[in-house]
Amino acid sequence: MVSGDRISRRKALKAISNVAAAGAIVGAGVVGAIGGFMAGSTTGGAQQTVTETRTREVTKTVTATKTVTAGAPTGGNPIKIGFEVHRTGIGAVYGKWYERTTVAAVNLINEMGGIDGRPIELVIEDDGTDPQRGAQVVEKFALEHKVDFILGALFSNVVLAAAPRAGELKIPYFAVSEGYHVPSGKLNRYSFQPGITDVRSQTQAVAGWIVENLGKKITMVFPDYAFGYDHRDWFGKAARDLGGEILELIPIPPTETTFTKYFPKVPADTEVLYHVMVGPAVLTFVKEMGEFFGSKRPEIFGFIDSLEGVAIDSPGLEFLEGTYFWEAFPRYLDGYDTPYHRFFREKVGVDENGADVNDPKSVATYSHMFSCWETLFIIKETVEQSGYTRRSPEDYRAFIETLENFRWFNEGNQHPQGAKLFNGRLHQGFGQQFISRVENGRLKTVYRTKIEDSVYESDVDYTKQPL
Amino acid sequence: MSLEVTLFLGLLDGVVFGLIMALIALGLSIAFGVMRIVNVAHGEFYMLGAVIAWYATTYLGNFILGLIIAPAAVIGLAAIVERTVLRKINYNPESTIVATIGLLYIIQQLVLAIYGPYAYNVEPPFYLRVDFPWFGYSGYKLSIAFVSPLIMGLTALFIFKTRLGLYMRATQQDREIAQAFGVPVGRVYMASFALGAALAAIAGVLVVPFLQAYYLMGLEALLISFMIVIIGGLGSLKGTLVAALIIGVIDGVVSVFFSPTLAKIVGSVLVAAVLLVRPTGLFGAER
Amino acid sequence: MYVANKGLGKALALHIGVIAGFFILQFIVPPFHAAMLTRIMVLATYAIGYNILLGYTGLMSLGHAMFFATGLYAAGLSVIYYGLPPLEALPLAILLSAVMSATMGAITLRTSGVFFLIVTMIFSQVFFLTTLYFNMITGGEEGLVLTRYLKPISLGLFSVELTDSVVKYNFALIIFSIAFLFSLWLTRSPVGRVLIAIRENDERAEMLGYNIYKYKLLAFTMSGTISGMAGAAYALVFAYIGSALASILYSINPLLWTLLGGAGTTIGPIIGTGLMIYIIDFTSGITSSYLIVVGITLMLLVLAFPPGIVGAIKRRWIRWLP
């Protein structure tokens, strides 16, 4: 599914001159744009404008320099984006990679000439993966730093505490979480999640393949809180609709550290064990599962969340050989080798195996972090098309209405994971999903879902809410 | 799986878990018994043990080295803390709690800054999957059931057969009298604190092959140790072992049949019950 | 009694001055700091509650998060599931916190010293686990958002919305003022004097014929109830409830705030809370390990500065400080 197949249906093409800069509406444009980006990033040492200073205000500010692409206006007062990140607390592994991806995307945008000719000023705050701190960070962004937009959190509890505050303060908040909070209608007109598919559609997209290829009698293991319930409810529904049968549900509390005791609950006639875990103990979970079942295991299908940030060839994971994982974006480059994907990997600094180019032990949270990158480009495109200039009710209205009218974000350097179908009523984006098999201690992608597989009907309509 | 098999697994898992927690709780209990202080950063010594073992195994390539280096390093740290902090506040129980909460955060955040937010584990020294007729179990984990009592036995030997152990027992019974008889109480305190920390660190090393070393792992261990020492009685060796097995088995069995969260709730209710009947714990000295 | 009214006028003036100061600040400070102050007033209420037990009775608890969370969940869940208006959810939450703290006090006060600390910590952890266990109702770790369910507060002729920043600020101010004035009243009441006597020497207090268990239980209950009121205010003002707010960090926070400001002074908890929240806010911009600041502060407090800020001021300069 390449972007060339798609015809842009966006309505608001009011700033045609920006289209070229925004790049990549049709395939040819993308290739040209890549050349442009590459050139932009190699001329001069300007990419070093990102200073790793740890001062509070503008932690990572990049100003548009002489190296920006010709034709793009320079200077102008910056567009401020507040980035709420889990630097500490249980989300810290994700936070590290989210920050890295975000900084890479901001650098790139600024090298390209910024947003509408204005550089992005990124203001980063740690929320400690703590909901109360998360809400406080939103206040800080809105009231003290006076940012234009907020790039939001990953962990659902933080998003759920922070997004309503952003709504009250009337500032657009972009979740990068995959949680089913935005499209469920729990949040507000100011909350968006365009950059990553939500759990409900992820599970729906892979259910058919599982029932067809692995088996119909399924036992589910999932975290005992809302994120897990989304899996339970939506995967369960999708699987049953397709003739599958859920034999047993095994919720595991998020604080758990040993898991062997849960496995006796798996019925003997289980054909597929479906697992999704989060948190630091995921590796133990997978290992103990292996020890317990040995060679007598059922087919195993997991969400890569169970092993995000963990090397597949870690000691004790040998038994994973031959099991399957959902991925949003293949950790190993060859799973989806496109020029855009290569470009993204290079810019973020991830090697072919999904680890830090400088430290092969540091494995990226690859199936989630692209959302920061893609969301930033969506903000850029929306600003440019809506004519947003400053923090005012009118400009925010234009921004939000323009975003709500988007239908497609095409594949390209801006959207390396693939095209996104955007539902403006749900404020949610939908993309393709990947299924990979563990072979020789690495993940090999075996199936790619269609975007249509992810789409569901819903009554939620944020556009009816007042601004 | 049949009821008996499930029960068997619950017991097995519970005993292994209990025996590890017993090591940590024993450390807490020794420091309390001799010094009358509660070290809230005790769980962090456990965590440090695990993290250092990971470094040792990864960079020196030897798990057994980790088993030596980790406790040694933690003993050093504990000795410094004892000298520069606990002695300065005169072992006041409440100040000690506040200071060790502070220490907890300092250790935790330093580990976060240096080791990072990841959860890593190491290759067990031997890999063996024990194949019961109904399910498989980690051979390494099973070996804990022998290693942990061995270490507790060595600790008991130390306390009952060495001069320093004698001093410790004397100080535990009556500090002033011990001092009057020439026991170097200051050094005994330092030794007790360090010994307690070392036990936690050893437990940390032992778990890295099957749990991961992770900067936030200390708190849960601390809370379970608290439950154990409350039930067993602070300062009692025998009580600690018995209570650890009780807590472990409850955890294992309730977990397999119902839910682990419920198991922890049941454990805590047991703590409440013990307190109502015997405020000093099952084996604690009457006050 | 001779001492009874000594300094009362000054103390009262000071307390009313602090409240008036908070009232005026909302017209002066920029919106971000108004939001910070809102948070500080709610959390200072929690610290005031904690201080009643630590500062005036000498009992150190490591489990007050369970009372804070009782208020939080009682208010939050009654708003979400029963559609209670804020001004009905609040008293309900206060009542439940009182019941909860009286029950917990009756059990935990059977112990003393470090056992008391450990036991309060364990029970609080049970409470935390319970919120996770019943996550179908509580939302567990992920929590629940109240915004959609919060009804306007009706004030006779007109009504106000708790989503409005100004309303949030003044709602927090009222809650805070109640707790603050209550703590002043308590320190000067006969009950408060007995509590202080227990703190100074419980054996002597017992010999004087006071039933110290009853007095401790009373203090424990008052302390837990105010903590619960703060929790309820937190749920209503910040429109979020979640089990992170019942975790051990929220038991340690009021201890830290109180010690920093000065245990056993009515103003100390407020100074400590305000200072610490600003320090954390400031350092989190500099270092990702900002909790290390909490650690270092705690260490320094016990090593070098046991009386806390207001405690030191009281000793050295203003002896009439309550």
Side-chain angles (χ1 to χ4, degrees):
Chain A
M1 192 176 310
V2 286
S3 61
D5 302 338
R6 301 276 167 211
I7 299 159
S8 168
R9 274 178 262 176
R10 72 182 59 151
K11 294 175 183 171
L13 281 174
K14 67 184 199 185
I16 291 172
S17 61
N18 286 328
V19 173
I25 290 196
V26 282
V30 180
V31 179
I34 297 171
F37 301 168
M38 300 288 197
S41 63
T42 44
T43 45
Q47 62 269 44
Q48 293 307 324
T49 40
V50 175
T51 43
E52 260 290 342
T53 48
R54 291 208 147 182
T55 48
R56 87 186 253 100
E57 291 306 306
V58 187
T59 335
K60 273 128 195 172
T61 309
V62 187
T63 42
T65 60
K66 293 170 201 109
T67 55
V68 289
T69 332
T74 53
N77 59 326
I79 287 202
K80 277 182 142 182
I81 296 182
F83 176 40
E84 170 172 4
V85 63
H86 307 323
R87 266 193 195 142
T88 52
I90 58 166
V93 179
Y94 284 95
K96 177 182 157 177
W97 285 99
Y98 268 47
E99 187 167 340
R100 197 159 154 165
T101 311
T102 301
V103 169
V106 167
N107 277 350
L108 179 64
I109 291 174
N110 284 340
E111 281 165 22
M112 288 164 62
I115 298 181
D116 222 356
R118 296 162 66 189
I120 298 179
E121 180 179 328
L122 192 63
V123 187
I124 304 180
E125 286 276 349
D126 175 23
D127 60 25
T129 326
D130 171 36
Q132 97 108 356
R133 176 82 198 144
Q136 209 176 328
V137 164
V138 166
E139 283 170 7
K140 197 167 180 179
F141 283 148
L143 302 174
E144 193 181 58
H145 297 303
K146 301 199 165 35
V147 302
D148 296 278
F149 308 102
I150 298 173
L151 184 59
L154 162 74
F155 271 59
S156 297
N157 52 350
V158 184
V159 175
L160 275 178
R165 195 74 189 105
E168 285 171 11
L169 296 164
K170 300 195 181 300
I171 181 165
Y173 181 94
F174 289 86
V176 274
S177 155
E178 87 175 348
Y180 181 60
H181 28 57
V182 173
S184 66
K186 273 186 214 164
L187 298 176
N188 56 65
R189 185 96 190 249
Y190 289 84
S191 320
F192 294 89
Q193 186 164 253
I196 185 164
T197 313
D198 67 274
V199 171
R200 178 176 173 183
S201 44
Q202 289 169 358
T203 58
Q204 179 182 315
V206 297
W209 188 88
I210 294 175
V211 171
E212 230 165 78
N213 295 285
L214 299 182
K216 289 190 166 36
K217 293 180 173 174
I218 302 164
T219 293
M220 296 181 68
V221 182
F222 53 90
D224 196 4
Y225 66 104
F227 173 67
Y229 303 154
D230 287 341
H231 275 274
R232 176 195 66 194
D233 297 345
W234 299 116
F235 176 78
K237 180 181 181 304
R240 273 189 295 268
D241 287 350
L242 294 162
E245 185 189 349
I246 306 297
L247 295 184
E248 187 70 54
L249 297 168
I250 304 176
I252 297 185
T255 45
E256 192 53 82
T257 51
T258 59
F259 302 89
T260 309
K261 52 205 170 202
Y262 293 93
F263 297 119
K265 295 187 182 132
V266 176
D269 55 343
T270 297
E271 290 169 1
V272 184
L273 186 65
Y274 174 105
H275 69 90
V276 54
M277 284 304 292
V278 288
V282 288
L283 185 53
T284 312
F285 167 76
V286 174
K287 271 170 49 179
E288 294 189 352
M289 183 161 69
E291 268 148 11
F292 188 88
F293 290 107
S295 55
K296 291 173 285 192
R297 68 169 174 81
E299 291 286 359
I300 294 179
F301 185 94
F303 267 63
I304 196 70
D305 305 56
S306 299
L307 284 177
E308 272 293 64
V310 176
I312 301 288
D313 53 3
S314 297
L317 290 190
E318 298 77 14
F319 93 97
L320 276 180
E321 202 62 27
T323 71
Y324 296 87
F325 279 98
W326 160 88
E327 290 187 283
F329 203 13
R331 181 184 290 187
Y332 293 88
L333 174 67
D334 54 18
Y336 189 58
D337 193 352
T338 67
Y340 322 122
H341 187 180
R342 280 177 180 270
F343 177 77
F344 169 76
R345 234 173 236 260
E346 186 211 314
K347 286 290 171 193
V348 180
V350 175
D351 68 17
E352 290 195 348
N353 301 322
D356 188 337
V357 281
N358 300 316
D359 178 9
K361 273 205 178 335
S362 173
V363 176
T365 57
Y366 207 73
S367 268
H368 297 84
M369 65 200 219
F370 69 87
S371 57
C372 296
W373 174 285
E374 298 205 0
T375 304
L376 279 164
F377 279 99
I378 288 170
I379 294 175
K380 170 179 155 68
E381 191 145 351
T382 312
V383 166
E384 288 171 350
Q385 299 212 9
S386 67
Y388 172 93
T389 53
R390 65 192 180 87
R391 291 157 45 95
S392 69
E394 310 80 59
D395 280 17
Y396 276 139
R397 171 180 290 275
F399 177 89
I400 288 171
E401 286 175 351
T402 303
L403 180 50
E404 282 167 348
N405 280 321
F406 273 113
R407 183 76 179 137
W408 284 101
F409 297 104
N410 290 43
E411 184 160 7
N413 282 344
Q414 291 89 336
H415 299 285
Q417 189 262 349
K420 297 286 172 307
L421 172 65
F422 185 70
N423 183 333
R425 287 182 301 113
L426 302 185
H427 285 192
Q428 175 65 47
F430 300 92
Q432 59 186 354
Q433 312 297 322
F434 297 82
I435 294 173
S436 303
R437 185 169 191 265
V438 181
E439 288 177 10
N440 306 319
R442 63 203 304 282
L443 286 159
K444 184 171 186 323
T445 299
V446 294
Y447 186 72
R448 182 148 56 98
T449 72
K450 298 187 181 64
I451 292 183
E452 296 86 284
D453 301 338
S454 312
V455 177
Y456 49 78
E457 292 298 314
S458 168
D459 303 331
V460 174
D461 190 353
Y462 284 118
T463 61
K464 291 206 178 97
Q465 291 185 5
L467 273 159
Chain B
M1 218 183 266
S2 72
L3 208 65
E4 295 81 12
V5 176
T6 310
L7 183 66
F8 172 65
L9 176 70
L11 287 171
L12 187 68
D13 228 34
V15 168
V16 170
F17 177 68
L19 284 171
I20 292 199
M21 288 300 140
L23 277 182
I24 308 173
L26 183 61
L28 194 71
S29 190
I30 287 175
F32 176 80
V34 177
M35 305 163 74
R36 302 275 137 193
I37 56 148
V38 171
N39 172 18
V40 183
H42 193 67
E44 307 315 304
F45 290 148
Y46 163 70
M47 179 269 282
L48 274 180
V51 168
I52 295 170
W54 179 83
Y55 274 115
T57 314
T58 309
Y59 292 103
L60 306 175
N62 193 331
F63 178 74
I64 303 299
L65 267 180
L67 204 49
I68 297 162
I69 295 174
V74 171
I75 284 175
L77 175 72
I80 293 171
V81 169
E82 202 275 338
R83 269 302 109 114
T84 56
V85 180
L86 301 185
R87 175 169 295 201
K88 289 272 175 350
I89 54 179
N90 207 16
Y91 310 102
N92 173 304
E94 270 148 17
S95 304
T96 303
I97 295 226
V98 178
T100 50
I101 292 173
L103 184 65
L104 176 152
Y105 280 118
I106 293 172
I107 295 178
Q108 214 175 67
Q109 298 297 314
L110 284 178
V111 169
L112 171 67
I114 297 163
Y115 171 82
Y118 291 92
Y120 293 121
N121 70 346
V122 304
E123 198 105 36
F126 58 93
Y127 190 75
L128 182 70
R129 181 172 169 273
V130 179
D131 223 340
F132 293 105
W134 321 276
F135 60 82
Y137 201 79
S138 154
Y140 174 78
K141 222 167 143 178
L142 212 54
S143 75
I144 299 283
F146 300 95
V147 175
S148 166
L150 181 73
I151 292 166
M152 277 187 274
L154 289 175
T155 312
L157 268 182
F158 173 77
I159 291 175
F160 290 104
K161 297 288 173 202
T162 66
R163 176 169 290 262
L164 190 53
L166 176 71
Y167 285 167
M168 280 166 62
R169 280 180 292 137
T171 313
Q172 174 159 4
Q173 277 184 358
D174 195 314
R175 180 186 165 172
E176 265 98 56
I177 294 180
Q179 203 152 20
F181 276 86
V183 172
V185 171
R187 238 176 292 159
V188 169
Y189 272 24
M190 196 155 100
S192 314
F193 194 68
L195 174 63
L199 285 169
I202 290 172
V205 180
L206 291 177
V207 302
V208 202
F210 66 92
L211 294 177
Q212 301 103 311
Y214 174 56
Y215 83 106
L216 290 177
M217 70 195 284
L219 188 63
E220 203 206 343
L222 177 76
L223 287 165
I224 292 171
S225 317
F226 275 169
M227 287 187 183
I228 292 171
V229 294
I230 290 273
I231 294 177
L234 263 169
S236 158
L237 237 156
K238 186 169 54 167
T240 303
L241 181 59
V242 173
L245 289 173
I246 294 174
I247 290 277
V249 166
I250 287 179
D251 192 79
V253 173
V254 178
S255 294
V256 287
F257 285 107
F258 303 100
S259 130
T261 313
L262 191 68
K264 298 207 172 60
I265 295 174
V266 170
S268 315
V269 171
L270 183 71
V271 171
V274 168
L275 278 172
L276 287 171
V277 184
R278 258 185 85 91
T280 51
L282 295 180
F283 295 86
E286 292 283 353
R287 280 176 301 172
Chain C
M1 237 182 345
Y2 162 66
V3 279
N5 283 317
K6 194 180 167 209
L8 175 63
K10 277 192 270 187
L12 201 60
L14 177 74
H15 283 65
I16 291 173
V18 168
I19 293 168
F22 272 114
F23 182 74
I24 294 166
L25 273 175
Q26 65 180 310
F27 304 109
I28 303 169
V29 298
F32 171 69
H33 294 280
M36 287 285 278
L37 287 173
T38 309
R39 202 169 289 280
I40 287 168
M41 285 188 287
V42 171
L43 295 174
T45 306
Y46 183 17
I48 289 170
Y50 187 84
N51 186 35
I52 289 177
L53 195 62
L54 176 68
Y56 291 105
T57 321
L59 286 168
M60 191 186 281
S61 146
L62 281 182
H64 260 47
M66 67 180 141
F67 308 127
F68 182 76
T70 300
L72 181 94
Y73 278 106
L77 296 177
S78 63
V79 164
I80 291 175
Y81 293 106
Y82 300 105
L84 247 50
L87 291 188
E88 287 175 33
L90 183 68
L92 176 74
I94 294 173
L95 182 72
L96 285 175
S97 310
V99 173
M100 175 79 179
S101 45
T103 315
M104 281 296 141
I107 300 172
T108 54
L109 285 168
R110 289 178 51 86
T111 62
S112 59
V114 288
F115 286 89
F116 178 75
L117 281 157
I118 296 177
V119 169
T120 48
M121 189 173 180
I122 290 176
F123 281 126
S124 186
Q125 188 67 9
V126 175
F127 190 95
F128 169 70
L129 290 171
T130 312
T131 65
L132 290 177
Y133 190 68
F134 292 104
N135 52 36
M136 296 299 281
I137 302 162
T138 62
E141 192 120 321
E142 183 165 301
L144 297 168
V145 174
L146 270 65
T147 316
R148 277 190 298 169
Y149 307 95
L150 273 178
K151 292 188 177 142
I153 300 176
S154 174
L155 298 168
L157 291 176
F158 59 101
S159 67
V160 292
E161 297 269 0
L162 261 172
T163 47
D164 185 327
S165 302
V166 177
V167 179
K168 280 182 204 279
Y169 189 98
N170 290 289
F171 186 83
L173 177 61
I174 291 167
I175 297 284
F176 164 78
S177 307
I178 293 171
F180 191 44
L181 293 176
F182 176 83
S183 72
L184 174 67
W185 168 81
L186 182 67
T187 55
R188 307 197 72 92
S189 72
V191 176
R193 286 168 200 287
V194 176
L195 294 180
I196 293 172
I198 292 172
R199 177 187 75 191
E200 297 303 326
N201 188 335
D202 58 351
E203 280 168 15
R204 191 192 298 162
E206 196 159 26
M207 276 198 295
L208 287 172
Y210 292 109
N211 181 335
I212 61 167
Y213 177 79
K214 269 192 188 157
Y215 274 97
K216 281 183 178 173
L217 185 56
L218 181 63
F220 195 97
T221 309
M222 288 189 291
S223 171
T225 308
I226 293 177
S227 304
M229 178 170 82
Y234 190 97
L236 298 171
V237 171
F238 302 110
Y240 172 80
I241 58 175
S243 50
L245 295 160
S247 68
I248 189 156
L249 182 64
Y250 283 84
S251 289
I252 291 173
N253 275 336
L255 168 70
L256 169 68
W257 299 329
T258 307
L259 287 176
L260 176 62
T265 64
T266 52
I267 297 197
I270 299 137
I271 306 272
T273 310
L275 199 60
M276 207 63 220
I277 286 178
Y278 266 102
I279 290 177
I280 289 207
D281 186 65
F282 180 70
T283 46
S284 72
I286 299 171
T287 162
S288 55
S289 313
Y290 63 89
L291 278 174
I292 211 165
V293 178
V294 174
I296 292 171
T297 314
L298 283 168
M299 279 274 199
L300 289 178
L301 274 172
V302 288
L303 283 175
F305 202 52
I309 296 166
V310 180
I313 294 174
K314 180 177 174 174
R315 278 187 198 180
R316 209 163 293 175
W317 295 295
I318 316 177
R319 301 207 48 93
W320 53 265
L321 271 181

